Amino acid sequence: MGVSDWAGLHPLPRSSPNPRRREKDRDAPVNLEREEMLCYSLGVAMRRVSKIYADALADHDITPPQVFVLSCLAEQDEQRVRELAERVCLDSSSLTGLLDRMEKSGLVERRPDPADRRALRIAITAKGRERFTTLTPVMEELTERVHAEFFTGYRREQIELFLSMLRHAQEAMA
């Protein structure tokens, strides 16, 4: 399927068989060439994009996941760890280590949850908010750079459809 065919695509119901496989091919093995596997292609693209972001943000002494946490807290401060983990798509144990480093850097702080003594809420500090504000134009520039490197030659509608498909896959697999 060529890129020009994207504009007519609509998501299939989850129970639908692969439309690219003809009836007589249903029992045939799936093509396992790595370039045909979604996990391979997405993995390569993700590593390339992550490297661009990590390299650029290293100059600011922050990592992409830390920026994502600051972004979530800037939108809605004082979130429970579980809620924040869901919003940044990390498991709670991975987020705990990240929050430890961010708290040590003075970007966030843990506060008791007034509604539940056993729970904690994560709050952005003044330093964290200032850092996020400083990084906003950097993140905008990085987004533009990634789009320029990855989407050159594609129409706006194709890019929007691709991003929509990624969001749909993310939600469907949550």
Side-chain angles (χ1 to χ4, degrees):
M1 178 179 297
V3 174
S4 61
D5 298 325
W6 288 8
L9 287 180
H10 298 286
L12 295 171
R14 291 183 87 175
S15 60
S16 296
N18 183 342
R20 295 177 59 183
R21 296 189 76 187
R22 297 184 310 256
E23 192 63 41
K24 69 177 186 172
D25 294 335
R26 297 255 189 258
D27 295 328
V30 175
N31 183 352
L32 295 180
E33 295 176 32
R34 72 174 182 261
E35 291 81 10
E36 294 295 320
M37 289 191 261
L38 181 62
C39 66
Y40 177 79
S41 296
L42 286 176
V44 169
M46 185 271 315
R47 284 188 294 279
R48 289 180 181 165
V49 169
S50 293
K51 183 169 177 18
I52 290 169
Y53 278 87
D55 289 351
L57 292 174
D59 295 339
H60 300 277
D61 196 31
I62 196 163
T63 65
Q66 290 173 332
V67 174
F68 303 149
V69 168
L70 291 178
S71 173
C72 288
L73 292 172
E75 287 176 17
Q76 180 185 343
D77 202 6
E78 296 202 22
Q79 297 181 47
R80 289 186 175 167
V81 174
R82 188 172 65 228
E83 295 165 348
L84 188 56
E86 287 176 16
R87 294 194 65 204
V88 295
C89 298
L90 290 173
D91 58 64
S92 293
S93 59
S94 297
L95 182 60
T96 298
L98 182 65
L99 292 173
D100 288 344
R101 291 184 295 280
M102 293 179 75
E103 189 171 36
K104 188 175 179 181
S105 298
L107 302 174
V108 300
E109 62 185 15
R110 291 174 168 96
R111 296 181 181 164
D113 185 339
D116 183 353
R117 293 186 324 181
R118 299 166 296 165
L120 292 172
R121 292 204 173 255
I122 306 303
I124 190 170
T125 63
K127 180 180 178 180
R129 195 169 298 281
E130 180 182 321
R131 176 76 64 88
F132 179 69
T133 301
T134 302
L135 289 170
T136 299
V138 173
M139 293 301 290
E140 289 170 353
E141 181 181 313
L142 281 169
T143 299
E144 289 175 17
R145 178 177 162 202
V146 167
H147 278 237
E149 289 187 29
F150 283 86
F151 297 127
T152 297
Y154 294 101
R155 293 190 319 268
R156 178 176 213 62
E157 304 83 43
Q158 293 169 317
I159 297 167
E160 289 171 2
L161 179 60
F162 175 73
L163 295 174
S164 173
M165 291 169 71
L166 285 176
R167 282 189 295 274
H168 175 76
Q170 180 182 348
E171 291 168 6
M173 299 177 96

